[in-house]
Amino acid sequence: MDDDRVIMARARMHVVPAVLALANPPWQRDVWLDPEVFEDLEYVIHTLFDDFCDAEHPERYLGIGLRSEEEVVLLRELDRALTVAEVQAPGGFDAEMLRVEGWAEVVAVAGRLAQVMVANDLGEILALQEGQGAAEV
């Protein structure tokens, strides 16, 4: 596997699950609101904004953690939705965030982004598989 694919795989190993968590309200309630579990909204935000991507400037991560321009656009949209929800929840607590009016938009945009990311990853896996099959012939 070449270096670019390794870098992409390492970033997406963290970014895709973070987006999936934002798209899944039952997960949010069951995991983020459980004080015994490590993951919470702050962890997801750090993953998307600090550690493996920059949702405020996602274009810099095209080819690193993001596969397509559509992912860049949707991540920027997710950043805007999160900003609206944060304004509506000045305390910033997970339980408060999950109740604000803007949270539904966060979930909706994250859902669209998750669909695109998973489809892009499956497309990459298929292309790798087809490439291996061609090499064996």
Side-chain angles (χ1 to χ4, degrees):
M1 188 181 264
D2 65 351
D3 289 344
D4 289 343
R5 284 192 173 150
V6 170
I7 290 168
M8 177 73 75
R10 286 184 180 153
R12 288 182 82 86
M13 238 173 37
H14 299 279
V15 173
V16 173
V19 171
L20 288 168
L22 285 171
N24 189 335
W27 173 268
Q28 296 160 10
R29 288 187 301 274
D30 292 347
V31 174
W32 296 352
L33 301 182
D34 183 345
E36 301 295 319
V37 179
F38 171 74
E39 182 184 310
D40 57 10
L41 178 56
E42 183 177 355
Y43 173 81
V44 170
I45 297 295
H46 279 293
T47 297
L48 294 177
F49 287 84
D50 303 322
D51 299 337
F52 297 98
C53 200
D54 180 356
E56 291 179 280
H57 307 285
E59 60 281 347
R60 298 186 331 206
Y61 286 83
L62 185 59
I64 298 171
L66 303 174
R67 292 193 189 281
S68 69
E69 186 62 38
E70 185 177 16
E71 290 180 5
V72 169
V73 169
L74 286 168
L75 192 56
R76 191 176 296 114
E77 192 176 327
L78 181 58
D79 171 52
R80 285 192 295 269
L82 280 164
T83 300
V84 168
E86 287 171 349
V87 169
Q88 295 173 350
F93 299 107
D94 291 4
E96 181 183 11
M97 289 286 286
L98 299 182
R99 288 191 307 265
V100 299
E101 183 179 327
W103 194 253
E105 182 66 11
V106 171
V107 171
V109 174
R112 290 193 305 274
L113 177 56
Q115 286 179 315
V116 170
M117 294 183 96
V118 169
N120 287 344
D121 285 351
L122 291 174
E124 178 67 17
I125 291 167
L126 182 60
L128 287 171
Q129 186 68 25
E130 289 174 355
Q132 286 178 345
E136 293 173 4
V137 174

